[in-house]
Amino acid sequence: MNPAQEGAQGKATGIGVYPGYAVLLILLLAYPWIASGFWTVQVGAYSLILGIISLSLMFLAGYGGVVSLAQLTIAGCAGYMLAIHGVNSAGLGLGWPWWAAIPIAIVIATLMATLIGLISVRTEGIYTIMITLAIAVAFFYFTRQNYTVFNGFTGFAGLEPPLLFGVNWRDAMPFYYLCLTVAVLCYSLVLYLGRSNFGIAMQAIRDNPRRMSTLGFSVNTHRVLAYTIAGFVAALGGVLSVWFNGRISPGSISTGPVIDILIIAVVGGLGRPIGPFLGALVFVLLENFAIDLIDRDRFNTVIGIAFLAMVLFSPDGLLGLWEKLKPRLVPRREGSAGT
Amino acid sequence: MKLFLLTLLNGLTLAALYFLVASGFTLVFGLMRNVNLAHGSLYLLGAYIGYDVADFSGSWFLGVAAGFVSMAAAGLLLQVLVFRHMEGQDLRQTLVTIGISIVLADLMLAIWGGTTYQFEPPEWLYGATPMPLVRAYPTYRLALLGTAVVIGIALWLFLNRTRIGMMIRAGVDDREMLSATGINVHLVFAITFAIGAGLAGFAGVVGGTALSIAPGEDVRYLLASLVVVIVGGMGSVAGAAIGALLIGLAEQFGLAYSPTYGVVYTFLIMVLVLAVRPQGIMGKRA
Amino acid sequence: MSIEKRTVPGFKRSLLAAAVLAVSASAGAADGVKMGALATLEGAFTVLGEDGMRGVKMALAERDNKACGQEIELITGSSDASPDSAIRAARKLVEQDKVEILIGPLSGSEGLAVKDYAKTQPQVTFLNGTSAAQDTTLRDPADNFFRWTTDGAQWQAGLGTYAYDEKGYKTVVAIAEDYSFPYTQVMGFMLEFCEKGGKVTDKFWVPIGNKDYSTIVASIPDDIDAIYVALGGADAVNFLTQYEQAGGDKPLIGGSITVDQSVMGSKGRRKSYVVGTPSAGPIADAWDDPRWQAFVTTYQESYPDGLPSPSLFAHGYYVNTLAALTALEAVDCDLSDGQARYRAALSSLELETPTGMVTLDANRQAVADIFLTEVAEADDGSLYNKVVKVTPQVPQTMGMDPEAFLALGPVGRDNPECK
């Protein structure tokens, strides 16, 4: 069922959001009180951050039918801009205060996303994948080779969130709640956009661009706008990501992590905005604990096979699996509006 | 002057290698619209298998043949077992190839380890050929250039002068029409994938002899193929040649005269071409 | 019936929550010291990381895996040579597994990242593995990061002088990969070479992963005496092959990881080409000192499927683990009070290793002996690294005044220069 129908159903039951999600929200809020510091940050916050970046990919792919592999690049751009404009351990930063550095980083990254959109808008389908991958790789090489601005192979360290209201936002609980807030905001944004006129137009363009342009919609403008919005979401994720790692270097945006974002979005499911977060959780759990369970050497094989299995047997990812299993576990609601 | 000429020759021979790798990619891409992101893995796997065969048998040529045959078989299997069942689902096929490339890369690392392998080409291919103006140039690279030209011509003849070639070309233009004419499209697809993959394996041994093989080469040649095909145009062997020339020369001249950012130039060219002419230089609009 | 079905998802969720609770709450109750070891056990450098781990285990085995009568719990962490993966692995070891001592990482850039991380975890003592970037201890060091191995510049001690005086090379070009560790190696070579009056007319920085040296080969000028090559062994073989094929004939000077087993296992023409290449590093395979020979024998007996001879990675991890254990015994495993006694013991320790005495300077950086070698042909025709001389107790500032050394600035593509 697509987001529009889901939204309609939500309205039919009188609550804006599935009641199940309310429970989920409570669990998420309570999580740091139960879990240790490591689990809160390394699993909880990290999943949320990866989920945000993958959400931007899902937004473009699920609603817009555009698979862009440059989302992590935009997140990385935001991270680099933050490092360069703020304070970093290499002493190469401009030293702007956080209330200037953070917005400028997000703005620059969103502009970059728009630029990528302008370049890629005339391409479709597979070509978009290829061109966004090439842009991602070009940016990776550039940051690695350039030392004056990007500090090359070493990158930047010593990146921390600012000390606000007396709270060290990098401590486990505050950081987790920060990520949770941003994640919920982005999720709501995507959900809202999905049902707005813009979102409906995007999906219509995804399904039949020719018809839409005949109807007078500017396909290119809508697409570029989608890139911009997705870029904004990715930029937010990028800022959180450098605070999480405390560093950024070309390795953070190389082909491996770029493909990881795609894997996360696909495994989670491209149909609904909760999908990327699911995928991110699975990915993070595997990454942290596969080493304990299986031979540490073959982690990539495991992830690769999991990914393959998902694509081969459940193209809609975990969400799709859940949709198939749900009728057997939960009784159908009275008068549900289709499937 | 000498540096310029040498760089030119280096660019041409590198273009030859890129053409060999990319021609298989563009065939598969053009006909079946399958972005085979496992193409680089096939290159490396063919190289490893070719190395083992050459090492075991002592014959480099056997290694080359092994590279081609093993990867052609792999390609056939992939097409028949996997891709045939997801025809028309372009994104899904792409994702499957990504998954395959991840698993293959890790398995190759497990089997052959992280060390670099050097091939031992026959003596008469090793060493330098005296040449005017540049004093000497590696014989092997000249041979590589010659091989690429021969293969290019052979491919062109295959596509333009044989029945199957005609079917492939028709399929690139209009897939639905091809099946409507009653031709066994699945057979054509299978053959095309086999040839494409076989070319990757062949290039793996031949290229690996020039530049050695190690983990990471799969990603490198995949990216190179992507750029070449995008610039040259999908489905066009002539486009692959043009793209390879552009990229090979750009890369070498970049390395020689602007080594810091040389690596970025090739991608910039690609972005430029795509922004201006999205179907590539010789490509046809979908 | 329907009520049961409705509660199933809720039940599943609470089961999941309970499981998560149980795992997150567990902290592991062991009495002995918890030690973490971090090496590159994924990706292309796995072979090196595995050898590093062998070094750690050898040091532990000497003490029966015990410290102060209690079993030491060793937990391994794996990275793929990228700083991000190293930090992730370090985080897991420190924050989840709660190690008290962490040994690692392997590569230079990882070391820089781990140093920064160490500053945020003052309750853990970090010792190095084999990371050899200069700035890890030279600039902005961490109070709890102890490097018992020497850095990339120290590794080249004696080489520049030897190349100029004994080999007679006055003008060279340098070929190395474009990142921090090779920059450090080149600096180590150039400090002595340039001081003697030598000239390095050009430096070719090869992008990481590049295997096509044809353009570099084409750019090498004719009026030089030798080529200083600081590539890894396998890349060096690649470069040599392409250089030879293009008709090149200049002699080579090798970096610490250049003239290794892969280069010496060369066949055919390449073999005779390599004979006479000088190099320098923290170990020398063929050193006839009994301490080193004992180390090699123990390695070969403990690890029949390891490398033929311990690499500098096994050696480096061994030395650092040895230091950690020796200091532990000196303070009777007293890690209380922010490990103050332990760190004081580490700072003042004089360590006897298979390659000589090692002490730490004010930045907790090792001062150790460096081996100058040259490739020679044995009676049976195989190649080996003959020890020419041992440069004793090389400090990080390479014999220069510390102020002047720091004033040289951080290593980079254009620093230092002597054309």
Side-chain angles (χ1 to χ4, degrees):
Chain A
M1 128 163 62
N2 69 40
Q5 287 173 308
E6 165 201 316
Q9 179 167 32
K11 286 206 184 92
T13 55
I15 318 167
V17 152
Y18 267 148
Y21 286 151
V23 177
L24 185 61
L25 192 61
I26 294 174
L27 269 177
L28 282 173
L29 282 169
Y31 179 65
W33 299 97
I34 325 165
S36 73
F38 173 79
W39 273 78
T40 307
V41 176
Q42 280 288 98
V43 177
Y46 190 39
S47 307
L48 288 169
I49 295 172
L50 283 178
I52 294 171
I53 302 177
S54 308
L55 179 69
S56 73
L57 192 150
M58 173 263 152
F59 176 71
L60 273 172
Y63 292 128
V66 169
V67 181
S68 157
L69 285 178
Q71 297 310 108
L72 184 68
T73 308
I74 295 162
C77 176
Y80 262 111
M81 289 302 126
L82 184 61
I84 292 168
H85 285 91
V87 175
N88 61 66
S89 66
L92 280 170
L94 289 172
W96 291 8
W98 64 270
W99 44 265
I102 299 176
I104 198 85
I106 296 178
V107 164
I108 294 180
T110 312
L111 278 174
M112 183 187 184
T114 314
L115 188 63
I116 295 178
L118 284 168
I119 298 174
S120 319
V121 76
R122 292 174 65 191
T123 61
E124 278 184 2
I126 313 157
Y127 263 120
T128 315
I129 298 179
M130 302 211 288
I131 192 174
T132 50
L133 179 61
I135 293 174
V137 175
F139 187 68
F140 159 72
Y141 278 128
F142 184 73
T143 54
R144 198 184 71 182
Q145 297 299 103
N146 178 294
Y147 275 87
T148 41
V149 177
F150 288 95
N151 206 29
F153 189 76
T154 332
F156 296 106
L159 304 170
E160 287 167 346
L163 219 62
L164 272 184
F165 314 120
V167 177
N168 180 2
W169 290 93
R170 187 53 184 84
D171 283 340
M173 260 208 254
F175 189 66
Y176 173 81
Y177 282 122
L178 178 65
C179 294
L180 184 61
T181 315
V182 177
V184 168
L185 282 172
C186 291
Y187 175 81
S188 313
L189 175 71
V190 170
L191 209 58
Y192 168 75
L193 281 174
R195 295 169 206 177
S196 67
N197 285 337
F198 175 74
I200 307 279
M202 277 304 309
Q203 290 167 74
I205 290 176
R206 172 197 68 198
D207 293 334
N208 199 328
R210 210 175 286 179
R211 181 190 298 163
M212 288 304 282
S213 81
T214 325
L215 286 171
F217 285 87
S218 166
V219 172
N220 282 356
T221 314
H222 275 84
R223 281 206 178 125
V224 174
L225 212 53
Y227 272 99
T228 310
I229 295 168
F232 174 71
V233 173
L236 291 175
V239 168
L240 288 174
S241 169
V242 296
W243 285 343
F244 170 75
N245 280 313
R247 56 172 298 109
I248 186 157
S249 61
S252 326
I253 51 174
S254 61
T255 27
V258 163
I259 303 272
D260 284 343
I261 299 293
L262 178 67
I263 292 179
I264 289 172
V266 169
V267 165
L270 289 171
R272 299 218 307 256
I274 196 78
F277 292 98
L278 263 176
L281 182 63
V282 171
F283 183 82
V284 167
L285 284 174
L286 264 178
E287 193 178 58
N288 269 307
F289 299 105
I291 285 174
D292 291 327
L293 300 169
I294 329 151
D295 187 12
R296 67 180 84 81
D297 270 358
R298 303 277 74 82
F299 163 72
N300 273 322
T301 307
V302 171
I303 279 261
I305 290 182
F307 178 66
L308 258 179
M310 203 55 75
V311 178
L312 285 172
F313 302 120
S314 173
D316 292 320
L318 286 170
L319 279 182
L321 266 177
W322 172 244
E323 294 290 327
K324 283 184 206 155
L325 289 173
K326 206 160 66 166
R328 296 185 213 177
L329 294 172
V330 179
R332 229 172 248 267
R333 290 174 196 275
E334 289 290 320
S336 54
T339 332
Chain B
M1 187 58 189
K2 181 173 158 211
L3 179 62
F4 179 82
L5 283 172
L6 275 170
T7 314
L8 186 65
L9 276 170
N10 289 335
L12 284 174
T13 49
L14 185 64
L17 179 56
Y18 282 163
F19 170 74
L20 282 175
V21 187
S23 52
F25 187 75
T26 196
L27 260 183
V28 169
F29 185 20
L31 177 60
M32 301 180 289
R33 291 202 62 112
N34 182 349
V35 186
N36 180 14
L37 292 180
H39 194 72
S41 312
L42 293 173
Y43 172 94
L44 191 56
L45 186 58
Y48 279 132
I49 293 180
Y51 178 85
D52 279 347
V53 168
D55 204 33
F56 182 74
S57 67
S59 160
W60 181 78
F61 288 101
L62 257 182
V64 175
F68 179 83
V69 168
S70 61
M71 287 305 103
L76 206 66
L77 277 171
L78 274 176
Q79 170 62 19
V80 167
L81 291 176
V82 181
F83 298 123
R84 184 178 160 149
H85 304 284
M86 13 179 127
E87 248 145 58
Q89 304 172 47
D90 296 340
L91 176 62
R92 196 162 166 217
Q93 284 184 336
T94 308
L95 295 177
V96 170
T97 59
I98 291 178
I100 292 175
S101 74
I102 295 174
V103 176
L104 269 181
D106 204 46
L107 289 178
M108 284 193 282
L109 187 60
I111 300 176
W112 281 283
T115 49
T116 308
Y117 288 83
Q118 293 279 343
F119 285 86
E120 298 289 330
E123 267 301 314
W124 56 272
L125 271 178
Y126 200 85
T129 314
M131 283 189 67
L133 289 173
V134 294
R135 195 180 63 191
Y137 195 73
T139 315
Y140 187 77
R141 291 183 79 112
L142 291 171
L144 183 58
L145 184 58
T147 312
V149 171
V150 166
I151 300 251
I153 295 179
L155 259 180
W156 188 87
L157 285 172
F158 172 72
L159 285 174
N160 288 298
R161 293 276 182 270
T162 65
R163 246 182 81 93
I164 299 192
M166 189 170 65
M167 292 188 233
I168 293 178
R169 276 185 301 128
V172 171
D173 283 343
D174 196 327
R175 224 189 327 188
E176 282 85 13
M177 223 22 171
L178 181 69
S179 58
T181 57
I183 292 177
N184 185 351
V185 172
H186 291 299
L187 186 62
V188 175
F189 281 12
I191 292 178
T192 312
F193 210 111
I195 295 177
L199 274 171
F202 173 81
V205 180
V206 166
T209 313
L211 296 175
S212 78
I213 46 175
E217 291 296 280
D218 50 347
V219 177
R220 181 176 125 97
Y221 283 101
L222 170 66
L223 290 172
S225 305
L226 269 180
V227 178
V228 165
V229 163
I230 290 176
V231 167
M234 83 170 176
S236 161
V237 172
I242 296 177
L245 265 172
L246 260 178
I247 300 303
L249 286 169
E251 202 177 292
Q252 287 298 323
F253 276 99
L255 263 177
Y257 294 102
S258 166
T260 314
Y261 296 110
V263 281
V264 189
Y265 293 161
T266 43
F267 292 97
L268 287 179
I269 290 182
M270 191 208 74
V271 170
L272 212 71
V273 169
L274 253 185
V276 168
R277 198 181 150 83
Q279 68 269 34
I281 296 178
M282 301 280 291
K284 302 177 181 68
R285 265 249 175 234
Chain C
M1 265 294 266
S2 57
I3 295 173
E4 267 186 300
K5 276 196 186 161
R6 208 168 281 149
T7 57
V8 165
F11 179 61
K12 273 176 126 183
R13 237 177 251 152
S14 49
L15 246 186
L16 183 63
V20 167
L21 246 177
V23 182
S24 14
S26 76
D31 294 309
V33 172
K34 270 193 167 181
M35 195 180 275
L38 172 61
T40 53
L41 297 171
E42 296 162 30
F45 295 105
T46 310
V47 179
L48 312 176
E50 281 172 354
D51 216 34
M53 280 303 175
R54 290 191 196 108
V56 173
K57 294 194 177 135
M58 274 177 75
L60 284 171
E62 276 178 5
R63 285 175 160 70
D64 236 357
N65 291 341
K66 287 200 175 73
C68 320
Q70 299 223 309
E71 190 91 5
I72 297 177
E73 195 185 339
L74 178 70
I75 308 170
T76 50
S78 161
S79 73
D80 63 14
S82 72
D84 291 351
S85 66
I87 294 302
R88 251 204 302 279
R91 275 229 176 86
K92 178 166 179 292
L93 287 171
V94 168
E95 297 172 33
Q96 167 74 346
D97 299 317
K98 302 267 191 278
V99 300
E100 293 156 296
I101 302 171
L102 180 62
I103 302 183
L106 189 133
S107 78
S109 307
E110 289 180 312
L112 288 165
V114 170
K115 172 196 70 168
D116 282 324
Y117 175 66
K119 290 185 184 169
T120 68
Q121 304 290 330
Q123 76 282 9
V124 177
T125 301
F126 292 77
L127 292 105
N128 193 31
T130 48
S131 81
Q134 200 176 56
D135 286 346
T136 310
T137 47
L138 184 65
R139 293 189 167 82
D140 211 16
D143 291 331
N144 53 342
F145 190 92
F146 294 81
R147 181 149 73 173
W148 285 89
T149 47
T150 35
D151 75 12
Q154 288 167 294
W155 285 358
Q156 299 284 272
L159 187 60
T161 316
Y162 186 75
Y164 192 86
D165 288 338
E166 313 296 327
K167 289 296 208 179
Y169 304 142
K170 312 285 180 230
T171 318
V172 302
V173 291
I175 300 177
E177 277 187 312
D178 201 1
Y179 72 106
S180 50
F181 171 67
Y183 297 159
T184 315
Q185 288 251 285
V186 170
M187 183 211 218
F189 170 74
M190 283 178 74
L191 272 176
E192 293 182 8
F193 191 70
C194 300
E195 217 221 311
K196 283 272 166 180
K199 301 260 169 275
V200 180
T201 54
D202 212 343
K203 288 188 251 176
F204 299 99
W205 299 109
V206 178
I208 303 166
N210 178 48
K211 302 224 176 294
D212 190 352
Y213 298 97
S214 47
T215 326
I216 294 175
V217 165
S219 312
I220 295 176
D222 289 327
D223 56 351
I224 54 167
D225 301 317
I227 308 176
Y228 174 78
V229 180
L231 301 167
D235 287 332
V237 176
N238 218 3
F239 165 74
L240 252 182
T241 314
Q242 294 176 37
Y243 184 60
E244 258 199 295
Q245 281 183 330
D249 56 3
K250 300 281 178 214
L252 304 176
I253 307 169
S256 306
I257 52 170
T258 306
V259 193
D260 69 354
Q261 329 248 358
S262 45
V263 167
M264 308 234 270
S266 297
K267 307 187 185 90
R269 251 176 293 175
R270 284 202 294 273
K271 186 165 142 188
S272 46
Y273 193 86
V274 182
V275 173
T277 305
S279 174
I283 63 167
D285 295 336
W287 198 33
D288 51 13
D289 185 283
R291 293 167 295 176
W292 172 251
Q293 289 297 328
F295 179 70
V296 174
T297 316
T298 315
Y299 176 89
Q300 288 167 338
E301 281 167 8
S302 315
Y303 302 107
D305 351 308
L307 300 174
S309 179
S311 65
L312 62 87
F313 302 97
H315 170 259
Y317 273 83
Y318 172 84
V319 169
N320 278 292
T321 314
L322 184 65
L325 294 172
T326 313
L328 260 181
E329 280 183 359
V331 297
D332 224 7
C333 296
D334 174 15
L335 293 173
S336 62
D337 195 24
Q339 303 195 5
R341 275 188 73 204
Y342 182 59
R343 288 177 196 170
L346 270 174
S347 301
S348 55
L349 182 61
E350 286 178 4
L351 192 67
E352 267 293 342
T353 72
T355 44
M357 175 80 84
V358 182
T359 53
L360 293 183
D361 68 11
N363 288 336
R364 291 160 294 285
Q365 166 62 41
V367 176
D369 298 347
I370 299 294
F371 298 85
L372 180 63
T373 61
E374 188 171 315
V375 179
E377 193 167 345
D379 297 326
D380 63 355
S382 63
L383 299 180
Y384 73 104
N385 275 319
K386 180 181 70 177
V387 177
V388 169
K389 143 176 140 108
V390 180
T391 317
Q393 302 297 289
V394 178
Q396 195 174 29
T397 55
M398 305 281 285
M400 274 180 79
D401 171 57
E403 295 286 308
F405 191 76
L406 274 170
L408 287 174
V411 289
R413 287 188 189 123
D414 302 315
N415 184 28
E417 287 276 35
C418 65
K419 295 194 178 177

